[in-house]
Amino acid sequence: MAVVNIVIRDRSDEYSTVSIPVADIANDGSNYSTIQNDVDDIISAIEALTTGEIARRQLVAYNQSVNDVRPANPYAQRELGLRLFYQDTVTQKKYHITVPAPDLLLVASGGTDDVDLSGVAVVNALVTYLETNMKSPVGNPVNFYRGKIVGRRN
């Protein structure tokens, strides 16, 4: 089942999400425009009854389990993260993503929390792929400029 997530901003700048299941998108995409029209109708109906502003909408085409099993590695803990910092190449605005439970034997360097984006093969492969395929939140190309091992809230 596909899902449309509608993010609504309130007067105190807080966000809430309404998730609504919609029809699955066909493998060949033949019904995409129909589903998009359905989503537009849902948005219009929500706009008619909320005093908040619809900040974003997201159509999740599928949500499929890949390998939902407990990791064998006892150090696979989400409280550790590989934070990758990137910048929108047009607006210069900075963002980051955090990958939970990084393999510190592969990505970390002794004596520092910094991660070498080009010198660590697995990190370089991810960064290269992301810079080629990812867009900033406003749709522009991105450039990754820093990596760091961080702790995460639990």
Side-chain angles (χ1 to χ4, degrees):
M1 182 68 52
V3 174
V4 62
N5 295 314
I6 301 160
V7 179
I8 299 172
R9 183 178 185 169
D10 74 3
R11 178 76 175 169
S12 58
D13 294 331
E14 296 172 314
Y15 296 89
S16 296
T17 302
V18 179
S19 297
I20 300 169
V22 295
D24 280 332
I25 297 172
N27 289 338
D28 64 0
S30 59
N31 66 339
Y32 181 78
S33 61
T34 300
I35 292 170
Q36 191 61 53
N37 288 336
D38 294 344
V39 169
D40 290 342
D41 291 343
I42 291 167
I43 298 282
S44 294
I46 289 176
E47 283 177 326
L49 64 84
T50 183
T51 57
E53 293 293 331
I54 295 181
R56 290 183 298 282
R57 68 182 187 181
Q58 173 190 43
L59 179 59
V60 179
Y62 62 90
N63 183 358
Q64 178 180 7
S65 289
V66 176
N67 190 26
D68 192 9
V69 297
R70 181 175 294 123
N73 187 324
Y75 300 106
Q77 299 293 324
R78 70 174 186 84
E79 288 81 10
L80 283 175
L82 168 59
R83 182 154 298 160
L84 298 171
F85 297 86
Y86 66 96
Q87 186 170 20
D88 181 308
T89 62
V90 176
T91 67
Q92 306 306 310
K93 187 165 181 184
K94 296 179 179 181
Y95 305 91
H96 67 268
I97 61 171
T98 304
V99 179
D103 186 337
L104 297 181
L105 294 174
L106 294 177
V107 303
S109 300
T112 181
D113 289 332
D114 292 328
V115 175
D116 183 354
L117 298 183
S118 60
V120 178
V122 295
V123 176
N124 182 265
L126 175 61
V127 165
T128 299
Y129 181 81
L130 291 175
E131 285 180 340
T132 302
N133 296 287
M134 185 176 157
K135 301 289 184 199
S136 75
V138 296
N140 296 320
V142 299
N143 178 52
F144 282 81
Y145 63 90
R146 182 175 178 212
K148 187 172 185 88
I149 302 298
V150 297
R152 295 173 54 107
R153 289 186 246 163
N154 54 0

